[in-house]
Amino acid sequence: MNVMELYGRAQDGFEAVLAGVAPDQWETPSTCPEWSVRDVAGHVIWAQRQLRAWATGEEYAEYGGAPGSAHPAAVLAEGEPLSLWREARAAASATLTEEALAKPVSLPGVGEIPVAGVVRLLLSDTVTHTWDIAHALGRPVTLDPAAVSAAFEWSRANVMRRPGFFGPELTPPDDADEQTRMLAFLGRKA
């Protein structure tokens, strides 16, 4: 399965979890320090908008949803999170041609990578934040196993452990499945 198929499956999982958030649950604290469920959603939506800008070569000057932002929910000021997610996802997906995926972009702390590399990063980010929202709401979630494998592989090679990104690795139980091991690697206790 290629990265775009895996990313689409990760996006489907995120959308399913987002669709289940009740109106009174958006301000629930998430597993991301100082972020609510709405902040996590705002961050993931921001990432779709940024991905679209990188793929098209346009400037995207909204930094409120970037990793480490104080309150990424600010990017949701103009609407309802599920609708904004669907719009941002569709707009980004429409731009991800083979030519766009090969286009180089420069990421702080990472350097120059093709847009396809950004998709791999966002695959990991989307899978992880799907769990963050579900866990914050007390809902069990089984993430797509193939997407988890790809996200875990990317994370082991690239994770940045600093405030606003990822905290220290945790030790998973001896009998942990790959999802639990990935989450522990990213500092989340399942």
Side-chain angles (χ1 to χ4, degrees), residues 57-143:
E58 295 172 10
E59 183 67 29
Y60 182 57
E62 169 60 63
Y63 299 106
S69 297
H71 294 289
V75 303
L76 305 178
E78 73 275 14
E80 187 271 324
L82 182 59
S83 297
L84 293 173
W85 158 255
R86 288 175 174 157
E87 291 168 15
R89 177 185 181 180
S93 294
T95 66
L96 297 177
T97 63
E98 284 188 40
E99 181 182 346
L101 290 169
K103 188 179 296 185
V105 296
S106 182
L107 299 180
V110 176
E112 191 170 285
I113 62 172
V115 170
V118 175
V119 170
R120 287 181 185 88
L121 179 158
L122 293 181
L123 165 65
S124 181
D125 197 58
T126 303
V127 166
T128 305
H129 290 316
T130 299
W131 182 86
D132 288 333
I133 290 174
H135 186 73
L137 302 178
R139 295 185 354 220
V141 63
T142 300
L143 302 166

